[in-house]
Amino acid sequence: MRCDRRNRDVESEASRASFEAWNDLFLVLLALFASATLLSLMRWAENYHLFVLGALSFTCAWIGRTALRRRWWYWVRLHIAGMGLSYILMLVAFYVDNGKQLPLWKDLPHFMYWLIPFAVGIPLIVRALLWPPLAPARHNFHSMR
C-alpha cells in the first residue's frame, strides 16, 4: 500500500513537471507573438502579414492548449490540429520573412514560401488525426472524445 502511494506521488510529480514545461513553452509562444506584434507595428506597411500570421498561430496554439487543459469534446483532435497549424503558420511567417536570404529558398518564387510549409504540414496533421501515434493499431474513434 505504501509503495503504491509513493509511485502515485512520483507519477504525479512527473506529470506536473511535464505540464509546467509545456506551460513554459506556451509562454514562449506568447512572447514570440508579442515580439512579432511589436516588430510589425514598427514597419506596418511591410510586415502586416507577419502580424496576421502571428495572430493566427497564437490563436491555433491557444485553442489546442485550451482543448487539452479543459478536455473539450474531441480534445485530442483539436489539440493536434491547433498545435500543428500553429507550427505551420510560424514556419510560413519565418520563410516569408527570411526566405529570400536562405540558400535553397532564395531561388524559389515567393508564393512557394507560403505553399511548401502547408504542403508538408497539412498531410502530417491529417495523418496524426486519422492515426494517432499513441493509440493502438485498432481503436474506436468515438472513444477519443
Side-chain angles (χ1 to χ4, degrees):
M1 176 93 164
R2 185 176 240 174
C3 184
D4 289 340
R5 187 176 301 146
R6 283 186 196 150
N7 285 341
R8 275 184 275 160
D9 290 343
V10 169
E11 289 174 3
S12 172
E13 289 176 22
S15 90
R16 195 174 319 119
S18 174
F19 174 76
E20 289 172 3
W22 284 111
N23 201 30
D24 291 344
L25 187 61
F26 184 76
L27 292 176
V28 168
L29 182 59
L30 179 61
L32 179 69
F33 172 62
S35 66
T37 300
L38 186 64
L39 291 171
S40 294
L41 289 174
M42 293 169 81
R43 295 178 48 195
W44 184 256
E46 296 86 13
N47 292 335
Y48 72 91
H49 59 281
L50 297 177
F51 170 77
V52 171
L53 288 169
L56 288 172
S57 176
F58 182 75
T59 302
C60 289
W62 180 82
I63 289 170
R65 178 179 182 255
T66 304
L68 172 70
R69 292 186 76 190
R70 295 189 182 169
R71 302 291 190 208
W72 288 347
W73 289 100
Y74 301 105
W75 69 269
V76 173
R77 292 179 181 167
L78 288 171
H79 180 72
I80 290 171
M83 294 308 210
L85 284 172
S86 173
Y87 188 74
I88 290 170
L89 289 166
M90 282 191 294
L91 282 175
V92 168
F94 173 78
Y95 288 128
V96 165
D97 193 36
N98 301 310
K100 55 191 162 286
Q101 300 159 353
L102 299 172
L104 292 174
W105 290 78
K106 66 182 175 185
D107 299 328
L108 296 173
H110 187 71
F111 77 92
M112 295 300 279
Y113 303 155
W114 294 81
L115 182 65
I116 290 175
F118 280 107
V120 171
I122 295 295
L124 292 174
I125 292 173
V126 169
R127 182 187 182 282
L129 290 172
L130 294 177
W131 300 285
L134 299 177
R138 293 176 168 260
H139 61 279
N140 183 359
F141 280 109
H142 300 293
S143 66
M144 293 178 57
R145 286 194 249 165

